[in-house]
Amino acid sequence: MSDRVYIFDTTLRDGEQSPGASMNIAEKLRLATKLEALGVDVIEAGFPAASEGDFEAVSQIAKKIKNSEVAGLARATKEDIDRAWGAVQYAARPKIHTFIATSDIHLKYKLDMSREQVIEHAVEAVRYAKSLTDNVEFSAEDGSRSDPDYLCKVFEAAIAAGATVVNLPDTVGYAIPEEFGSMVKYVIANTPNIGKAILSVHCHNDLGLATANTIAAIGAGARQAEVTINGIGERAGNTSLEEVVMAIHTRRNFLPVETNIKTESIYPSSRLVSMITGIMVQPNKAIVGANAFAHEAGIHQDGMLKNPMTYEIMKPETVGLTASKLILGKHSGRHALRSHLTDMGYDLSSEELDVVFTKFKNLADRKKHVMDEDLEAIIAEGILRTTDVFKLEYLQVTAGTTVLPMASVKLSIKGRSVKEASYGNGPIDATFNTIKKLADSDSELLRFSISALTGGTDAQGEVTVRLKENGLIALGKGSDPDIITASALAFVNGLNRLEYLRDNPLRHE
Ligand code: KIV
Ligand code: ZN
């Protein structure tokens, strides 16, 4: 059996199914480029039949990515497969990923099909996809809750029809590691032609076991892991890339397999995903959480000073975590900025550098030391959010112990400037009320959180809002040394994301 484990990243597809995590095309392209540099074998770029926006994003990613395979998801229908192929056909290494459910629960209540009908659909879908490309993956949705003997029959038929990868998903995050590992062994032992395909697993984290299940599956012989950065994804999320890769990397004695991942790119990739989606990484998250390498207890610190091996099983540098560098100040020039951004992994065009440089100078006038986190926020706001409908042009707020809080806002809506002023319970409430009036929005603020991007009293405030309108949920992020401005930017970003979602509704079955 090969000792290579393929990493199939679905941050752009299953990851985008996290409530509120929609990304625009510029953001998806940026992330796809980062995933390619990270060394993932497959980038699942989206679900082209879901919306025009998804189709366009997958096509653009397919045109840009050269080293990783680019996959498009498709239900087991000719229409979906045509859409997926329409988008991925431009890729240097295109892949069609088609799926149908195989558990009796799904067959009875969702598909209203017999087991034989599902096999027919699967075979027809794989055969059709194979007529378009050699590279076809078949997934048995809800595989972990399917009858193992039936699952083996479906896989056997899919491989005979041309599937080069068969995927066993734990769609609802129900499996237990020992059980899932045994199921993988059973599938390998009882699918006669399994040697002609790679067996993949795709786990969800509803019981917090996605990584454990994936590792058990690899131990049992699976050779592809479907993962997302930071573990984002539908409901409780998917298996996280960084956890699987670092478990393999750190426990070679137990798992004698290899991936192609450049581990030093893990942390920058994690930052990019959280910056783009607005989904924060919990501080105690393994590998990429803010506390993952922080030693607090005195006894641990003492041990670390004597020898890091006492309490550290991985080096922070291995995952690309370097101490936040004190970098540029207001006298730094364009050249220094470009070279630092390149070190951070951002290759910007001259026009993009112009935008970042102007924002950097503005910030450096207000904040003595501009850190990596500040630059990332500038890039998120200045470069990645270029297709915005709403833009904050001006904000003035009065607040204090004796005045009624009032906000005056100028907003540009599709390039047309509009102004308004209104009151609120506090300066942030007044700001949000005014923006809502101008944008003619009924959105409900579900969550508001604020944190400091870096240390120091002049740190930028980073605000995250969660907005809901007409059943759609979007996250918005903004940062600025002035927390009211950061709040306004976050609210406007949330409205832009709602607007994007309205035009590009996410659909998964
Ligand atoms: O969770 C799941 O079953 C999926 C499939 C489409 C692979 O995401
Ligand atoms: Zn999934």
Side-chain angles (χ1 to χ4, degrees):
M1 187 176 295
S2 152
D3 58 3
R4 172 84 146 78
V5 170
Y6 295 94
I7 298 295
F8 175 115
D9 182 279
T10 182
T11 310
L12 288 163
R13 199 276 297 170
D14 225 335
E16 204 200 19
Q17 288 172 213
S18 309
S22 71
M23 305 171 227
N24 67 32
I25 294 183
E27 291 168 335
K28 287 183 179 177
L29 273 171
R30 181 74 61 183
L31 181 52
T33 310
K34 195 82 167 171
L35 292 170
E36 182 180 38
L38 177 64
V40 307
D41 298 288
V42 187
I43 295 173
E44 185 164 54
F47 185 1
S51 69
E52 278 305 319
D54 237 26
F55 181 88
E56 189 52 32
V58 177
S59 314
Q60 290 201 26
I61 290 168
K63 286 175 189 159
K64 182 151 193 205
I65 298 301
K66 296 286 167 268
N67 299 320
S68 310
E69 293 178 13
V70 177
L73 183 67
R75 285 166 297 187
T77 66
K78 183 174 180 303
E79 297 72 36
D80 267 31
I81 293 170
D82 281 335
R83 274 313 259 173
W85 178 243
V88 298
Q89 60 176 318
Y90 307 103
R93 305 171 66 196
K95 177 176 220 133
I96 296 176
H97 176 195
T98 185
F99 73 99
I100 190 163
T102 53
S103 67
D104 288 335
I105 304 172
H106 278 233
L107 264 60
K108 180 166 176 199
Y109 297 105
K110 190 180 80 170
L111 297 176
D112 191 21
M113 283 186 197
S114 67
R115 288 185 172 191
E116 291 68 33
Q117 282 174 316
V118 164
I119 295 195
E120 276 166 28
H121 274 74
V123 166
E124 233 173 83
V126 171
R127 220 175 255 149
Y128 183 58
K130 192 77 178 187
S131 72
L132 304 169
T133 171
D134 267 352
N135 195 353
V136 177
E137 170 166 333
F138 169 77
S139 282
E141 194 190 14
D142 208 17
S144 62
R145 291 195 301 167
S146 304
D147 167 13
D149 289 319
Y150 175 60
L151 185 64
C152 294
K153 280 208 178 81
V154 178
F155 280 164
E156 184 183 353
I159 295 168
T164 43
V165 178
V166 286
N167 180 37
L168 196 180
D170 182 25
T171 303
V172 290
Y174 180 73
I176 299 289
E178 214 182 327
E179 174 196 37
F180 197 58
S182 302
M183 192 162 193
V184 165
K185 275 199 185 125
Y186 191 86
V187 166
I188 293 173
N190 293 283
T191 307
N193 52 2
I194 195 75
K196 293 191 179 150
I198 292 169
L199 179 59
S200 169
V201 288
H202 171 118
C203 298
H204 280 266
N205 205 29
D206 300 65
L207 293 173
L209 293 170
T211 299
N213 284 330
T214 302
I215 294 293
I218 292 170
R223 284 296 175 263
Q224 177 173 282
E226 303 203 354
V227 293
T228 61
I229 304 276
N230 298 340
I232 64 168
E234 185 88 36
R235 305 182 310 278
N238 288 57
T239 307
S240 85
L241 177 147
E242 59 278 9
E243 292 175 13
V244 169
V245 167
M246 289 313 291
I248 291 174
H249 191 272
T250 310
R251 299 302 310 276
R252 284 254 165 75
N253 54 338
F254 190 74
L255 287 162
V257 292
E258 277 174 22
T259 72
N260 195 35
I261 297 297
K262 294 169 191 59
T263 58
E264 318 74 53
S265 294
I266 285 179
Y267 186 70
S269 306
S270 158
R271 286 286 309 158
L272 184 67
V273 168
S274 127
M275 202 168 71
I276 285 179
T277 59
I279 300 178
M280 306 230 259
V281 174
Q282 79 201 53
N284 57 325
K285 165 83 178 62
I287 320 293
V288 291
N291 296 344
F293 293 91
H295 299 270
E296 189 75 19
I299 206 165
H300 289 206
Q301 290 173 352
D302 181 53
M304 285 286 292
L305 288 173
K306 288 176 176 147
N307 186 336
M309 274 164 62
T310 50
Y311 285 102
E312 201 166 76
I313 58 163
M314 299 165 271
K315 288 193 192 321
E317 307 85 81
T318 311
V319 298
L321 189 71
T322 44
S324 192
K325 277 175 245 128
L326 185 75
I327 49 145
L328 308 160
K330 64 183 197 178
H331 301 298
S332 309
R334 246 179 96 89
H335 186 70
L337 179 66
R338 178 187 280 288
S339 128
H340 190 78
L341 289 171
T342 308
D343 287 350
M344 285 172 68
Y346 294 105
D347 275 322
L348 302 186
S349 66
S350 312
E351 297 77 47
E352 288 174 334
L353 186 66
D354 286 344
V355 174
V356 174
F357 189 63
T358 309
K359 285 182 178 280
F360 157 70
K361 282 284 176 186
N362 283 340
L363 182 62
D365 274 340
R366 302 156 75 196
K367 187 173 186 282
K368 199 164 162 209
H369 304 303
V370 179
M371 323 283 270
D372 289 0
E373 290 86 341
D374 295 316
L375 288 179
E376 282 180 336
I378 287 177
I379 289 170
E381 273 167 27
I383 304 294
L384 300 178
R385 294 176 198 156
T386 46
T387 53
D388 290 352
V389 173
F390 306 108
K391 250 194 179 105
L392 182 70
E393 293 195 328
Y394 167 92
L395 168 70
Q396 193 199 5
V397 178
T398 45
T401 49
T402 52
V403 289
L404 200 57
M406 193 182 95
S408 312
V409 177
K410 192 160 150 200
L411 211 60
S412 135
I413 305 181
K414 292 188 179 154
R416 188 176 56 88
S417 290
V418 285
K419 283 189 280 191
E420 181 65 79
S422 41
Y423 296 100
N425 260 339
I428 292 177
D429 189 43
T431 303
F432 288 2
N433 287 342
T434 316
I435 294 173
K436 274 171 71 171
K437 258 193 208 165
L438 286 170
D440 194 19
S441 160
D442 275 338
S443 59
E444 184 189 344
L445 180 66
L446 299 179
R447 203 187 73 203
F448 173 89
S449 68
I450 184 158
S451 59
L453 257 184
T454 57
T457 49
D458 67 347
Q460 294 203 79
E462 183 179 54
V463 173
T464 306
V465 296
R466 192 178 175 89
L467 304 181
K468 183 172 180 187
E469 193 169 10
N470 299 329
L472 299 172
I473 293 183
L475 293 171
K477 252 182 148 176
S479 45
D480 194 272
D482 174 333
I483 57 168
I484 316 272
T485 305
S487 306
L489 289 169
F491 199 81
V492 169
N493 179 230
L495 291 181
N496 279 315
R497 285 177 184 274
L498 279 174
E499 200 67 25
Y500 182 79
L501 271 182
R502 240 187 304 277
D503 295 342
N504 301 281
L506 285 172
R507 184 160 60 79
H508 178 227
E509 275 278 75

